């Protein structure tokens, strides 16, 4: 004996009323009343701002380049202030072959600048992460390291550059130290803030399982602080490239910053813009690499 499907607002004799078979199998979707068949599945919840944005970024870059080309072609901006894109491309070719002031090719400038920035960045990461974690877990370490870091962090690099030159001279050590100091503070403070990401429940669970102090730091606090540390590394490399021009002002004969400053003295705006683009592309590439590492080694971020 068949059983009638009860639908709100639809009686037994109403047209379109569907029935179950003897085994209680629900009717097909086509047999449902219009009110039921019109229901849609609820979309899964998504955080605001989530989703891919590569297409939007590519469109934004294309629009900026088009506006740049249009402004130079229409003569809205003189070439001395904004060279045309083709002039910048020619400057790139000349710089790569060494046909610019100084006679050094672009790849050599890039090699020296990358060595200075990434060398100082590696030293800063190797020392600032332990210092930041120590500041987060020890009040003694926080009392020792927090005052000097907070004191020099707001200072612009050019403010203490003369003192570094007096101490270390005009050799490579002064340039490395200047970039190192610019990278150290954001990494240390990010690691210090990341320690607070470890919840009390995680710490108590590890302690209840018999974890010692170093085991707690290694297996609970450091993994919880990794997302903040990765953000600090990304910020620090940006500060490193920003400080590069100031560091290469100290009697440098080769480097991207020195190349840009030398070109500005001769009003070679095309070389200046080309150098700025090269520095930005290198920094963006490294930032993309850091985001890839973050997705690979910190998959629990934001979850």
């Amino acid at each position: 004996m068949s059983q009638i499907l009860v639908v709100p607002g639809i009686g037994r004799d109403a047209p379109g009323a569907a029935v179950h078979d003897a085994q209680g199998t629900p009717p097909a979707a086509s047999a449902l009343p219009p009110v039921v068949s019109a229901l849609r599945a609820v979309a899964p919840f998504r955080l605001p701002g989530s989703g891919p944005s590569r297409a939007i970024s590519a469109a934004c870059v294309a629009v900026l380049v088009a506006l740049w080309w249009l402004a130079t072609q229409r003569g809205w901006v003189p070439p001395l202030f904004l060279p045309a894109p083709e002039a910048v491309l020619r400057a790139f070719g000349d710089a790569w072959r060494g046909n610019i002031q100084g006679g050094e090719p672009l790849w050599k400038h890039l090699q020296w600048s990358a060595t200075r920035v990434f060398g100082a960045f590696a030293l800063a990461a190797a020392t600032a992460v332990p210092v930041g974690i120590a500041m987060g877990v020890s009040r003694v370490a926080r009392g020792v390291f927090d005052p000097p870091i907070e004191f020099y962090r707001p200072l612009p690099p050019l403010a203490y550059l003369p003192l570094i030159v007096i101490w270390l001279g005009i050799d490579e050590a002064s340039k490395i130290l200047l970039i190192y100091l610019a990278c150290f503070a954001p990494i240390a403070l990010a690691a210090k803030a990341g320690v607070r990401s470890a919840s009390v429940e995680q710490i108590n669970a590890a302690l209840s399982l018999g974890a010692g102090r170093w085991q707690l730091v290694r297996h609970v606090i450091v993994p919880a602080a990794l997302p903040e540390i990765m953000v600090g590394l990304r910020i620090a490399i940006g500060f490193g490239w920003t400080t590069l021009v100031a560091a290469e002002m100290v009697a440098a004969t080769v480097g991207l910053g020195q190349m840009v400053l030398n070109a500005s003295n001769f009003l070679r705006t095309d070389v200046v813009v080309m150098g700025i683009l090269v520095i930005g592309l290198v920094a963006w590439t490294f930032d993309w690499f850091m985001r890839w590492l973050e997705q690979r080694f910190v998959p629990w971020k934001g979850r």
Side-chain angles (χ1 to χ4, degrees):
M1 182 177 181
S2 60
Q3 184 179 0
I4 302 298
L5 172 65
V6 178
V7 180
I10 299 178
R12 178 186 299 270
D13 300 328
V19 296
H20 289 277
D21 58 14
Q23 288 76 23
T25 305
S30 59
L32 291 175
V35 177
V36 179
S37 60
L39 295 178
R40 296 181 180 179
V42 179
F45 174 75
R46 295 174 59 183
L47 292 174
S50 61
S53 61
R54 294 185 180 91
I56 300 176
S57 300
C60 180
V61 172
V63 170
L64 291 177
V65 173
L67 289 176
W68 177 17
W69 178 84
L70 185 62
T72 55
Q73 290 297 317
R74 295 294 182 89
W76 296 342
V77 183
L80 178 62
F81 298 102
L82 183 63
E86 54 268 23
V88 175
L89 290 177
R90 287 195 301 268
F92 179 83
D94 293 339
W96 188 264
R97 294 187 295 269
N99 297 331
I100 56 175
Q101 293 83 6
E104 297 291 347
L106 177 60
W107 63 265
K108 191 171 183 180
H109 289 288
L110 180 59
Q111 180 183 9
W112 276 95
S113 295
T115 301
R116 291 163 181 157
V117 172
F118 292 121
F121 173 78
L123 291 175
T127 55
V129 171
V131 169
I133 294 176
M135 292 170 61
V137 300
S138 172
R139 63 185 182 89
V140 176
R142 185 168 60 254
V144 171
F145 293 108
D146 194 65
I149 292 177
E150 292 294 344
F151 174 78
Y152 93 86
R153 181 179 61 87
L155 296 177
L158 288 176
Y160 48 84
L161 175 60
L163 184 60
I164 293 178
V165 173
I166 294 174
W167 288 349
L168 302 178
I170 59 175
D171 203 357
E172 290 297 317
S174 60
K175 305 175 182 61
I176 297 295
L177 179 60
L178 188 68
I179 302 174
Y180 169 85
L181 291 175
C183 297
F184 182 89
I187 299 176
L189 295 180
K192 173 187 172 183
V195 172
R196 304 301 179 186
S197 300
S199 63
V200 178
E201 291 79 7
Q202 291 174 321
I203 296 176
N204 290 334
L207 293 176
S208 64
L209 293 175
R213 183 177 181 85
W214 292 110
Q215 290 176 324
L216 181 66
V217 172
R218 178 183 176 184
H219 297 287
V220 177
I221 294 179
V222 171
L226 271 180
E228 295 286 346
I229 293 174
M230 298 298 293
V231 174
L233 292 175
R234 293 173 55 190
I235 296 175
I237 195 63
F239 285 151
W241 283 105
T242 304
T243 314
L244 174 68
V245 177
E248 292 182 342
M249 290 175 60
V250 186
T253 58
V254 66
L256 292 176
Q258 190 275 338
M259 181 188 70
V260 170
L261 292 174
N262 193 19
S264 66
N265 295 330
F266 292 91
L267 298 180
R268 288 292 307 272
T269 315
D270 52 348
V271 178
V272 173
V273 174
M274 181 271 300
I276 293 174
L277 292 177
V278 170
I279 293 174
L281 287 174
V282 173
W284 176 82
T285 303
F286 185 78
D287 184 78
W288 176 85
F289 175 70
M290 293 297 297
R291 282 184 288 178
W292 178 80
L293 289 179
E294 184 178 6
Q295 294 176 357
R296 182 176 179 87
F297 295 104
V298 195
W300 59 86
K301 180 181 179 181
R303 299 182 181 179

